């Protein structure tokens, strides 16, 4: 009986041990583990950050958060341990656990560990990087600078931030920065990298605003404007020191001033300052930070306005002046125009033709200028020859074919066969030359010469100008033309009378 009972107890113990071992084996098989690693976070200062720890098969185990560098426990499961009020925890289910840090600060930077209280302990780390946008260190940064021309200056811009900012210099107006080494070699650059910008032997062209820009990849970048003023005494340049204009017109004179600080500019004539008035217009036109254009306009200038004018520039470093002389340009008495050419050699167009009162007369010239010395046109000579045709036909018998008018007049000899006795082609009383002249011919010459002398000769044009027109309304031109016509007629009558007297004496 006892033996049977002992066997039963031993069997029960063995069954219990086997069951326990089986249970322990199953528990070790489903221990918690991390489903994926924690993601690192980079957040600008003042923003919120959240770490997420993904766990599987958590079972009855707990999740804890620890700051790696200080070993400070942040939270265990759902309980916050740290005294930092900006730290909180949350979980969506048993598999997702979150650590929240609000308004992160620079001291929050570092690693954060997610732990499981297994044996041995399991953990993984995510890193928080707190970045800081750049900012200038006021006490280490230059303010506006004033230096004399030719000196050297250092412009400094220091900035803080995380990561460390990079400082770049530019000119506000976009012009190039002039860099010089110890040997004086110049280098022109659009930008310069570095906290200190050194300018050596600066000139007035380097005056202006310089921008230092700090950036580290964290928005926003910051910039500071530093004004560089370069002082020098005034300088004046005068484009035209001698200016002329006719009386009654407006004339402007100008001076170019360079000065820093800004100069006081004014005009003087005969020790008297000139200000803007109905007679004078005075203006100062800024061209750059140190350049100014001084202009003065004198309206309706008169004799008393001629003379010397002084432009004066004055600042705290000095005074300078320059002179401009204004003189009179005589006005022309009349306008001279050249005639327009027509189609007919002796065509003179008179004003008012064809009912057009505004039309101007035009004048044409003959093709041969030598004809003008005889005071008549080709038609005049044709008429003269026609009056002599019967006589010449009676005395001139030639086997050669004759011209219908006998000997045709030429530009050298307008009288045809009746040339002057002393001319090369003339006839003498002995009949040499192919013909003779009688007293009857001489009688015909008197009315003929008078007729030629009284005919309208060619008008001598008063002159030529750019448009080629004749100024018919110009009183001076009409007066000169009338005088020349009278003189021309007198000369022709005198020449005809003299020729007739000489010719008659010879016969």
């Amino acid at each position: 009986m006892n033996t049977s009972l002992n066997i039963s107890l031993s069997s029960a113990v063995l069954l219990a041990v086997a069951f326990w071992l089986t249970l322990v084996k199953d528990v070790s098989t489903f221990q918690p583990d991390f489903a994926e690693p924690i993601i690192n976070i980079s957040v600008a200062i003042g923003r919120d950050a959240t770490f997420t720890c993904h766990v599987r098969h958590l079972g009855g185990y707990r999740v804890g958060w620890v700051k790696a560098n200080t070993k400070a426990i942040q939270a265990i499961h759902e309980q916050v341990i740290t005294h930092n009020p900006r730290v909180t925890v949350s979980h969506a289910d048993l598999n997702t656990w979150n650590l929240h840090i609000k308004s992160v600060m620079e001291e929050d930077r570092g690693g954060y560990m997610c732990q499981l209280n297994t044996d041995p302990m399991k953990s993984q780390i995510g890193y928080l990087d707190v970045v800081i946008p750049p900012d200038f260190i006021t006490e280490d940064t230059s303010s506006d600078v004033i230096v004399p021309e030719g000196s050297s200056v250092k412009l400094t811009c220091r900035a803080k931030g995380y990561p460390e900012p990079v400082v770049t210099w530019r000119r506000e107006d976009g012009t190039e920065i002039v860099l010089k080494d110890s040997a004086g070699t110049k280098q022109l650059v659009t930008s310069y990298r570095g906290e200190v910008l050194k300018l050596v032997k600066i000139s007035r062209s380097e005056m202006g605003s310089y921008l230092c820009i700090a950036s580290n990849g964290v928005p926003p970048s910051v910039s500071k404007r530093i004004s560089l003023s370069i002082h020098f005494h005034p300088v004046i340049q005068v484009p035209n020191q001698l200016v002329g204009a006719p009386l009654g017109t407006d004339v402007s004179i100008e001076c170019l001033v360079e000065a820093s600080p800004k100069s006081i500019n004014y005009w003087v004539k005969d020790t008297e300052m000139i200000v803007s008035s109905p007679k004078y217009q005075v203006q100062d036109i800024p061209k750059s930070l140190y350049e100014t254009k001084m202009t003065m306009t004198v309206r309706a200038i008169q004799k008393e306005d001629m003379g010397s004018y002084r432009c004066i520039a004055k600042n705290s470093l000095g005074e300078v002046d320059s002179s401009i002389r204004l003189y009179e340009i005589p006005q022309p008495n009349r306008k001279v125009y050249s005639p327009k050419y027509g189609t007919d050699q002796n065509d003179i167009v008179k004003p008012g033709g064809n009912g057009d009162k505004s039309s101007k007369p035009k004048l044409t010239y003959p093709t041969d200028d030598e004809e003008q010395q005889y005071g008549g046109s080709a038609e005049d000579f044709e008429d003269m020859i026609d009056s002599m045709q019967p006589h010449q036909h009676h005395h001139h018998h030639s086997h050669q074919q004759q011209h219908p008018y006998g000997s045709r007049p030429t530009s050298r000899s307008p009288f045809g066969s009746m040339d002057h006795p002393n001319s090369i082609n003339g006839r003498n009383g002995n009949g040499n030359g192919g013909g003779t002249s009688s007293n009857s011919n001489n009688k015909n010459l008197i009315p003929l010469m008078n007729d030629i002398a009284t005919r309208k000769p060619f008008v001598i044009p008063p002159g030529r100008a750019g448009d080629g027109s004749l100024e018919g309304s110009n009183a001076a031109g009409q007066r000169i033309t009338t005088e020349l016509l009278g003189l021309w007629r007198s000369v022709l009558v005198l020449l005809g009378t003299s020729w007739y007297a000489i010719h008659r004496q010879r016969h």
Side-chain angles (χ1 to χ4, degrees):
M1 185 72 182
N2 291 332
T3 303
S4 299
L5 183 61
N6 291 333
I7 292 172
S8 297
L9 290 174
S10 298
S11 298
V13 170
L14 290 174
L15 289 173
V17 170
F19 177 76
W20 183 81
L21 291 174
T22 303
L23 181 63
V24 170
K25 182 178 180 181
D26 292 340
V27 171
S28 62
T29 302
F30 293 96
Q31 277 191 344
D33 196 5
F34 297 108
E36 56 185 73
I38 299 176
I39 299 175
N40 297 328
I41 303 172
S42 179
V43 179
I45 191 170
R47 301 294 183 90
D48 297 341
T50 299
F51 287 105
T52 300
C53 186
H54 296 277
V55 182
R56 58 191 172 190
H57 311 305
L58 181 61
Y61 292 92
R62 293 176 177 271
V63 177
W65 292 95
V66 178
K67 190 172 183 182
N69 57 346
T70 61
K71 306 298 182 183
I73 299 175
Q74 304 296 305
I76 295 177
H77 218 57
E78 296 178 354
Q79 183 67 39
V80 177
I81 304 299
T82 181
H83 295 291
N84 188 345
R86 298 181 290 108
V87 176
T88 58
V89 291
S90 67
H91 65 93
D93 50 40
L94 294 178
N95 296 327
T96 305
W97 298 82
N98 301 316
L99 174 67
H100 305 282
I101 306 174
K102 295 182 179 180
S103 303
V104 296
M105 303 175 65
E106 194 170 0
E107 56 265 25
D108 297 329
R109 185 183 298 117
Y112 288 81
M113 184 184 299
C114 177
Q115 292 182 341
L116 300 177
N117 61 337
T118 57
D119 189 19
M121 182 188 66
K122 294 180 179 180
S123 65
Q124 61 178 356
I125 298 178
Y127 288 93
L128 172 63
D129 191 14
V130 180
V131 295
I132 304 174
D135 193 14
F136 293 110
I137 304 174
T138 305
E139 56 271 20
D140 293 336
T141 300
S142 301
S143 56
D144 293 346
V145 181
I146 300 175
V147 293
E149 190 173 28
S151 61
S152 299
V153 64
K154 287 183 179 180
L155 303 180
T156 304
C157 240
R158 299 196 189 277
K160 60 184 178 180
Y162 185 86
E164 184 178 357
V166 175
V167 176
T168 304
W169 292 88
R170 297 180 186 274
R171 292 193 66 171
E172 188 177 43
D173 58 4
T175 56
E176 295 176 315
I177 299 174
V178 182
L179 301 177
K180 300 175 185 174
D181 56 18
S182 56
T185 304
K186 288 185 180 181
Q187 182 183 3
L188 301 178
V189 296
T190 56
S191 62
Y192 174 78
R193 178 173 292 185
E195 292 184 337
V196 179
L197 175 63
K198 185 176 182 180
L199 303 175
V200 180
K201 295 182 180 179
I202 54 177
S203 64
R204 62 193 66 179
S205 61
E206 298 175 70
M207 183 188 305
S209 296
Y210 289 75
L211 299 177
C212 63
I213 304 167
S215 59
N216 63 351
V218 181
S221 299
V222 292
S223 64
K224 181 175 176 61
R225 181 177 181 268
I226 300 176
S227 176
L228 174 61
S229 298
I230 302 173
H231 283 186
F232 56 92
H233 60 79
V235 176
I236 291 182
Q237 297 179 0
V238 179
N240 298 306
Q241 290 186 320
L242 196 61
V243 179
L247 294 179
T249 61
D250 295 351
V251 63
S252 295
I253 56 179
E254 63 181 39
C255 293
L256 304 179
V257 179
E258 295 181 6
S260 179
K262 289 285 187 180
S263 58
I264 299 173
N265 306 321
Y266 56 96
W267 293 88
V268 170
K269 184 178 188 297
D270 300 332
T271 69
E272 183 177 349
M273 182 184 296
I274 299 175
V275 296
S276 290
S277 65
K279 180 66 177 178
Y280 301 101
Q281 181 182 3
V282 178
Q283 260 186 319
D284 279 3
I285 305 173
K287 294 296 184 181
S288 68
L289 291 175
Y290 59 91
E291 292 176 303
T292 302
K293 180 180 179 180
M294 297 176 59
T295 64
M296 183 182 67
T297 301
V298 186
R299 297 186 178 93
I301 59 172
Q302 303 300 322
K303 288 281 188 181
E304 57 271 18
D305 297 324
M306 303 303 172
S308 181
Y309 292 82
R310 287 195 304 143
C311 52
I312 301 174
K314 181 189 299 185
N315 69 2
S316 59
L317 300 179
E319 178 181 347
V320 67
D321 68 338
S322 189
S323 296
I324 300 176
R325 186 167 186 81
L326 186 61
Y327 68 95
E328 177 187 354
I329 296 178
Q331 287 184 336
N333 293 330
R334 63 185 180 91
K335 296 182 179 178
V336 180
Y337 301 90
S338 58
K340 293 182 178 179
Y341 289 90
T343 56
D344 192 357
Q345 290 183 348
N346 292 317
D347 185 17
I348 299 178
V349 180
K350 297 182 179 180
N354 297 327
D356 185 7
K357 297 181 179 180
S358 62
S359 62
K360 296 182 179 181
K362 67 177 182 178
L363 178 66
T364 58
Y365 295 97
T367 56
D368 193 345
D369 292 341
E370 292 184 0
E371 293 184 9
Q372 296 187 25
Q373 63 181 324
Y374 299 105
S377 63
E379 287 79 3
D380 294 331
F381 295 118
E382 295 288 350
D383 294 342
M384 179 188 71
I385 298 301
D386 288 341
S387 64
M388 299 174 59
Q389 181 178 357
H391 177 79
Q392 290 184 356
H393 182 71
H394 178 74
H395 291 281
H396 189 82
H397 301 281
S398 173
H399 296 286
Q400 298 178 356
Q401 184 177 359
Q402 299 295 320
H403 189 277
Y405 300 105
S407 298
R408 177 71 184 216
T410 64
S411 61
R412 180 67 65 182
S413 178
F415 298 105
S417 59
M418 296 193 313
D419 286 342
H420 192 280
N422 294 333
S423 66
I424 297 176
N425 297 325
R427 294 181 176 87
N428 55 29
N430 298 326
N432 295 333
T436 60
S437 297
S438 64
N439 293 337
S440 61
N441 292 336
N442 296 335
K443 293 178 181 180
N444 292 330
L445 288 176
I446 295 176
L448 178 62
M449 294 303 296
N450 289 333
D451 181 60
I452 294 176
T454 57
R455 286 176 183 265
K456 183 183 294 185
F458 293 106
V459 178
I460 298 177
R464 287 180 173 83
D467 60 355
S469 64
L470 181 64
E471 186 63 51
S473 61
N474 191 302
Q478 291 180 353
R479 185 176 63 254
I480 294 175
T481 302
T482 304
E483 293 176 356
L484 289 176
L485 289 176
L487 179 60
W488 190 249
R489 291 189 182 98
S490 300
V491 171
L492 288 176
V493 172
L494 180 60
L495 288 176
T497 305
S498 301
W499 179 86
Y500 173 72
I502 295 173
H503 190 73
R504 188 170 184 179
Q505 289 178 0
R506 290 181 177 271
H507 297 281

